[in-house]
Amino acid sequence: MVRKVILALAVFLPALLYQQLQPPPPKICGSPGGPQVTGTRTRLKDGRHLAYLESGVPKDQAKYKIIFVHGFDSCRYDALPISLELAQELGIYQLSFDRPGYAESDPNPASTEKSIALDVEELADNLQLGPKFYLIGFSMGGEIMWSCLKHISHRLAGVAILGPVGNYWWSGLPSNVSWHAWNQQLPQDKWAVWVSHHMPWLTYWWNSQKLFPASSVIAYNPALLSEEDKLLMPKFAFRTYMPQIRQQGEYSCLHRDMTVGFGKWSWSPLELEDPFAGGEGKVHLWHGAEDLIVPVSLSRYLSEKLPWVVYHELPKSGHMFPLADGMANTIVKSLLLGDQPPQAS
């Protein structure tokens, strides 16, 4: 009898553990039982759909065409808040989209750091943006800018990288630099990021269990907010469309973001060469010195080692600086016109 019980447990417990580790299937928009499709979408070659939003001047009247890549726990509605006056003055068209798995874009179960860059290129082609366009990416979307510079630099007219997430395991990062950045995180974030890199199969369970604190970013822990971020956070935390962002399941958006962004890359941004060596464009990197969500030290190091990057460090700003009044316009004018931002006093 005892042997039968032991045998039953030996079969049952691994099966139960496996079930706990597996994320539920995504609730695909437009599928039976899934969320409704309410926005405009385009179909990619592999059959997936990307939902997108156009703003600014009409595309056929635009002098400048910008694709904006949103950050973690965001969607197409979180486009860079460029003023209508500036868009009309300069002739700016902005295209934002839900990254795979977010809001109304289909998940990509084969997502990699390269696949999102190719998605951006195909989106530009589907929307007929022409041979070249500008890119702006924020936070996790900022990290994606490095992938776009690696894989589709021939399509880019200029790039702005805003408060980018960094991968602590990028080759070429000195251990003292990566460790310094690593130790700026809260303890639970160190663990969540470590799991995403070393044990990606555990990421769903780690961030959904209730036994101990998981990612403080997912939980919107106020300890991550700088003084400026505390003033700006209401613009982000109380968005009316927030329920749509994770509606297909947290694994398809948040957790996959973590396993790709902090995963094992085969290359490093430190290996990139100037994509605009001929002077036809610029790469701008912006970071807030008081950023408690994404440590500034990795951006500092990258800008030191990549002399072709124009680095803007904002001494009193945290992570949410693109939402500060007038900041989006400053970023865009710097990218498009080469304007220098006003110096902090």
Side-chain angles (χ1 to χ4, degrees):
M1 180 65 180
V2 174
R3 292 183 62 185
K4 291 183 178 179
V5 170
I6 293 175
L7 181 61
L9 289 175
V11 173
F12 174 74
L13 290 180
L16 180 62
L17 178 61
Y18 178 81
Q19 185 179 20
Q20 291 294 318
L21 297 180
Q22 295 304 303
K27 301 175 182 178
I28 306 295
C29 288
S31 66
Q36 290 185 341
V37 175
T38 63
T40 306
R41 305 203 303 177
T42 186
R43 190 174 187 272
L44 303 181
K45 294 175 182 177
D46 63 5
R48 290 182 294 116
H49 296 85
L50 294 181
Y52 64 89
L53 180 70
E54 298 170 290
S55 59
V57 302
K59 180 172 50 183
D60 58 358
Q61 299 175 22
K63 181 178 180 181
Y64 302 104
K65 297 170 184 175
I66 299 173
I67 296 180
F68 180 78
V69 183
H70 68 74
F72 194 72
D73 207 9
S74 302
C75 70
R76 66 190 184 278
Y77 295 121
D78 294 303
L80 194 67
I82 304 167
S83 71
L84 182 58
E85 292 77 13
L86 183 67
Q88 292 175 336
E89 176 188 345
L90 299 184
I92 299 171
Y93 162 90
Q94 182 177 194
L95 174 65
S96 57
F97 68 103
D98 297 334
R99 291 196 284 111
Y102 281 100
E104 296 186 17
S105 285
D106 294 336
N108 182 1
S111 182
T112 65
E113 54 77 23
K114 182 177 181 178
S115 67
I116 184 60
L118 300 182
D119 283 354
V120 168
E121 182 178 33
E122 192 170 350
L123 175 68
D125 289 339
N126 285 5
L127 273 291
Q128 299 181 331
L129 297 194
K132 294 209 176 220
F133 49 87
Y134 291 86
L135 271 183
I136 301 177
F138 172 51
S139 193
M140 192 65 81
E143 184 187 48
I144 289 168
M145 296 300 96
W146 299 118
S147 294
C148 292
L149 288 166
K150 166 77 172 177
H151 299 295
I152 61 167
S153 61
H154 61 289
R155 301 296 306 274
L156 307 179
V159 178
I161 308 172
L162 314 180
V165 168
N167 188 314
Y168 304 98
W169 294 272
W170 279 331
S171 60
L173 282 178
S175 59
N176 64 313
V177 172
S178 57
W179 272 108
H180 179 267
W182 175 264
N183 286 319
Q184 303 306 303
Q185 302 176 99
L186 295 178
Q188 62 260 43
D189 292 324
K190 293 180 184 180
W191 278 107
V193 169
W194 187 92
V195 167
S196 298
H197 180 80
H198 292 286
M199 307 173 72
W201 50 269
L202 193 59
T203 301
Y204 166 73
W205 178 85
W206 190 274
N207 290 286
S208 57
Q209 53 75 36
K210 307 301 181 185
L211 301 174
F212 48 80
S215 169
S216 62
V217 179
I218 292 177
Y220 284 73
N221 189 332
L224 293 173
L225 302 179
S226 70
E227 291 304 313
E228 183 183 85
D229 283 345
K230 290 176 184 177
L231 300 176
L232 296 173
M233 197 59 182
K235 295 183 178 182
F236 187 78
F238 301 110
R239 297 165 290 170
T240 58
Y241 48 85
M242 283 187 70
Q244 298 179 35
I245 294 174
R246 306 183 188 184
Q247 64 183 352
Q248 298 186 82
E250 292 189 7
Y251 178 77
S252 296
C253 51
L254 306 184
H255 304 161
R256 189 165 280 137
D257 248 4
M258 296 174 70
T259 57
V260 173
F262 298 116
K264 297 178 181 179
W265 293 31
S266 62
W267 60 277
S268 166
L270 290 163
E271 302 167 6
L272 294 175
E273 297 182 355
D274 185 358
F276 305 116
E280 66 277 15
K282 290 289 185 182
V283 176
H284 292 260
L285 172 57
W286 299 75
H287 215 122
E290 300 298 318
D291 194 336
L292 302 179
I293 298 176
V294 177
V296 66
S297 51
L298 292 187
S299 286
R300 285 176 182 163
Y301 186 80
L302 287 167
S303 67
E304 291 170 1
K305 296 301 179 181
L306 301 175
W308 42 270
V309 169
V310 182
Y311 184 52
H312 312 265
E313 187 166 309
L314 307 173
K316 297 181 180 180
S317 295
H319 191 62
M320 309 304 295
F321 67 86
L323 300 181
D325 291 345
M327 195 65 216
N329 286 4
T330 298
I331 292 166
V332 167
K333 287 191 288 186
S334 178
L335 175 64
L336 303 181
L337 307 177
D339 287 5
Q340 293 299 312
Q343 296 296 312
S345 56

